[in-house]
Amino acid sequence: MTKAGLFGIGLDTYWPQFEGLLNNLQGYQEQIKNQIAGFGVEVVDAGMVDNPEKAREAADLLKKKDVEIVFLYVSTYALSSTVLPIAQKVKVPIVVLNLQPVPQLDYEAFNQLNDRGKMTGVWLEHCQACFVPEIASVFNRSGIRYDFVTGYLEDEQAWSEVKAWTEAARVAANMRNHRLGVLGHYYGGMLDVYTDLTKQSAVFGTHIEMLEMCELKKYRDEATEDEVVSKMEEFDNTFEVSLECEKSEIERAARTSVALDKLIENHNLGSMAYYYEGESGNDYENIVTSVIAGNTLLTGKNIPVAGECEVKNAQAMKIMAEFGAGGSFSEFYLMDFKDDVVYLGHDGPAHYAIAEEQVKLVPLPIYHGKPGKGLSIQMNVKNGPVTLLSVVEGKDGLFLLTAEGQSVPGPVLQIGNTNSRYKFPIGAKDFMNQWSKQGPAHHCAIGVGHIADKIEKLGQILSLKVVKIC
């Protein structure tokens, strides 16, 4: 389970001056702790930090527990000297929770207290905003990564932001701990697809595992008839298998799918990028022309598989999958200027869990730009909000490119490929120009829902620039 750190800040000088203030603030911190824990993370609570000695203790605890992110609850005014040592030691992003107890102070009741001492105590209980500029100043001057969530304890929007931060932290941890397999080689001449694998590991922490076609062949040769029959049943349960599909092709794809499962399992892979051709008529060509159905099953189980050995897009698909948005392999297909939509799709594996209707398994007489023929996937993405994501390798390193739009109904291309119609708030022309000018590869990952805010938070955690087109 992902670990999130939490500590509150206050000023110990206040506690003997204002009766009940510390207890009230600690009660609010307990509410915050329980709310964050409800988002599915383990909360490491370092308590109330109100002097430099406690700051050192909190820093040691959060560092020892190896938290992914730290939530700093501003309970009242505090000294920034009690915060900086923690941020410097844990070296993870700090999310400052500027959360008042209530959305509006009851001014009439407050002013009727008629005791300036008590009134000051109540004010201090609600003066979270007092500290916010101070910590921003110190963090800016110290190069500390941070962001704010501002609101009040029952503020749904504020808690939605906090939840997004916990999800981004979980995705960052999963990207660091997952293993990406590379099977085969790049599609020759696709210069945009080539990537620096060292940068992928350095930025995301992903382990890159080099795979051999002969290992996949071994598993395929060893597949039993029972395994093949079971896989064919899985095809029937998952796909709408076209009557045009020859039984021999279904069996061929099922045998390869069994082998793919074993390859993934034996290398403990969380994603894969692949491409191969092989000499005409040889065993490797036979394998690679029968992988689409099996790779689609894997992708739908959140083990995304990207064709044309697009490692960057396998990473993008994995990010989308970890956010629960799906993540289907896509490229630009065509533009419809009358309807102001852009078509995106791809041959090869798709994410069947985000399909508008049941995914079809259909035969293709030829794989365009690739050798052989075989079975393919035909589907369109669910109508509604979508997010596009590309992991871009620019001249200065990696960054994330994202856009939000809508998958809209209308005619699609019945060519045995995944393809859908997408509308963007800035219009098809501007979207196409602005997206392309960022220099991504011609592939991207498409997921359901609008999650650009979560992707931006992931970028902050990973120290990655995020460009949002719309």
Side-chain angles (χ1 to χ4, degrees):
M1 183 180 291
T2 303
K3 294 180 181 178
L6 171 67
F7 70 100
I9 53 168
L11 187 58
D12 56 4
T13 305
Y14 292 154
W15 312 147
Q17 294 179 326
F18 304 102
E19 183 180 357
L21 177 60
L22 176 59
N23 285 339
N24 289 346
L25 299 181
Q26 288 175 326
Y28 299 146
Q29 185 167 333
E30 185 68 18
Q31 289 182 43
I32 290 171
K33 175 184 176 180
N34 293 336
Q35 185 79 23
I36 296 174
F39 297 144
V41 296
E42 178 184 341
V43 179
V44 179
D45 188 354
M48 178 65 73
V49 175
D50 53 14
N51 60 51
E53 290 74 21
K54 289 184 180 179
R56 287 193 292 271
E57 294 172 2
D60 289 341
L61 173 65
L62 297 174
K63 185 70 173 179
K64 180 180 178 181
K65 293 295 186 178
D66 193 27
V67 296
E68 296 289 337
I69 193 169
V70 170
F71 293 100
L72 158 57
Y73 167 49
V74 182
S75 73
T76 186
Y77 176 74
L79 296 172
S80 48
S81 61
T82 61
V83 178
L84 184 60
I86 300 174
Q88 288 174 321
K89 185 158 190 173
V90 296
K91 290 182 171 59
V92 299
I94 307 288
V95 179
V96 181
L97 302 181
N98 173 28
L99 300 177
Q100 285 187 179
V102 293
Q104 183 182 64
L105 191 65
D106 186 338
Y107 306 115
E108 184 176 355
F110 177 84
N111 288 322
Q112 288 178 355
L113 289 173
N114 294 320
D115 182 324
R116 290 190 176 93
K118 289 183 179 179
M119 293 167 75
T120 300
V122 174
W123 161 62
L124 288 172
E125 193 177 326
H126 295 78
C127 78
Q128 286 72 25
C130 185
F131 180 73
V132 171
E134 177 173 339
I135 196 59
S137 172
V138 173
F139 281 175
N140 287 351
R141 295 161 68 181
S142 305
I144 302 295
R145 289 178 289 161
Y146 73 97
D147 208 336
F148 293 117
V149 174
T150 294
Y152 52 96
L153 287 180
E154 302 299 327
D155 187 341
E156 291 184 7
Q157 181 181 347
W159 285 116
S160 178
E161 290 182 49
V162 173
K163 182 180 181 182
W165 276 111
T166 65
E167 291 181 29
R170 176 181 54 78
V171 172
N174 290 348
M175 291 298 293
R176 186 177 65 249
N177 293 320
H178 110 278
R179 295 160 58 86
L180 185 154
V182 177
L183 178 65
H185 55 76
Y186 289 121
Y187 191 114
M190 279 186 184
L191 304 185
D192 62 324
V193 166
Y194 300 173
T195 190
D196 183 336
L197 298 183
T198 300
K199 284 184 179 178
Q200 295 292 330
S201 293
V203 170
F204 294 105
T206 303
H207 170 77
I208 310 292
E209 183 81 354
M210 297 300 178
L211 307 172
E212 300 293 343
M213 285 293 292
C214 55
E215 182 181 1
L216 184 60
K217 179 182 182 303
K218 181 185 74 170
Y219 298 143
R220 193 173 189 275
D221 292 343
E222 293 173 350
T224 67
E225 291 308 309
D226 286 345
E227 289 174 325
V228 173
V229 168
S230 177
K231 184 61 67 173
M232 292 169 68
E233 291 174 351
E234 187 177 357
F235 287 175
D236 286 334
N237 293 332
T238 306
F239 308 130
E240 179 185 333
V241 180
S242 171
L243 296 176
E244 300 175 81
C245 296
E246 297 177 3
K247 184 178 179 181
S248 59
E249 284 290 358
I250 297 174
E251 183 176 347
R252 186 165 75 97
R255 190 173 298 276
T256 301
S257 182
V258 170
L260 287 165
D261 288 352
K262 291 180 180 178
L263 185 72
I264 296 294
E265 180 182 359
N266 289 346
H267 290 276
N268 191 28
L269 301 179
S271 64
M272 187 171 73
Y274 79 98
Y275 184 72
Y276 204 80
E277 292 187 4
E279 290 292 328
S280 179
N282 74 10
D283 287 340
Y284 291 169
E285 185 199 42
N286 184 38
I287 293 172
V288 82
T289 56
S290 59
V291 296
I292 291 176
N295 283 340
T296 297
L297 290 181
L298 290 169
T299 300
K301 297 170 183 175
N302 288 337
I303 303 173
V305 182
E308 294 167 7
C309 207
E310 172 63 290
V311 170
K312 299 191 299 297
N313 210 51
Q315 294 281 66
M317 292 165 70
K318 185 64 175 178
I319 290 170
M320 299 298 273
E322 290 295 334
F323 274 124
S328 207
F329 192 41
S330 298
E331 64 185 6
F332 296 97
Y333 261 33
L334 58 86
M335 300 180 71
D336 183 328
F337 296 104
K338 287 188 175 182
D339 291 346
D340 195 33
V341 297
V342 180
Y343 280 70
L344 288 102
H346 212 284
D347 61 356
H351 200 302
Y352 64 81
I354 64 171
E356 175 68 18
E357 300 170 341
Q358 189 175 19
V359 173
K360 295 179 180 179
L361 187 64
V362 300
L364 279 186
I366 187 170
Y367 291 132
H368 70 274
K370 304 175 179 70
K373 64 182 182 67
L375 302 184
S376 185
I377 292 297
Q378 185 165 293
M379 64 161 267
N380 58 307
V381 172
K382 289 178 181 177
N383 295 156
V386 296
T387 302
L388 277 61
L389 175 64
S390 180
V391 173
V392 185
E393 185 165 347
K395 62 184 179 64
D396 298 322
L398 301 181
F399 66 93
L400 302 177
L401 176 62
T402 189
E404 293 179 339
Q406 297 283 330
S407 173
V408 296
V412 294
L413 311 182
Q414 304 292 330
I415 58 174
N417 287 184
T418 298
N419 67 102
S420 296
R421 296 157 51 91
Y422 299 96
K423 189 174 283 286
F424 298 95
I426 59 175
K429 287 183 178 180
D430 282 349
F431 167 76
M432 193 70 207
N433 292 342
Q434 292 186 38
W435 180 273
S436 300
K437 281 184 178 180
Q438 294 299 324
H442 66 282
H443 301 128
C444 66
I446 295 181
V448 294
H450 284 166
I451 64 165
D453 64 322
K454 297 177 183 179
I455 291 170
E456 289 172 332
K457 290 173 171 58
L458 176 65
Q460 290 189 54
I461 292 173
L462 297 175
S463 296
L464 267 179
K465 181 178 78 170
V466 178
V467 176
K468 182 183 177 184
I469 300 299
C470 56

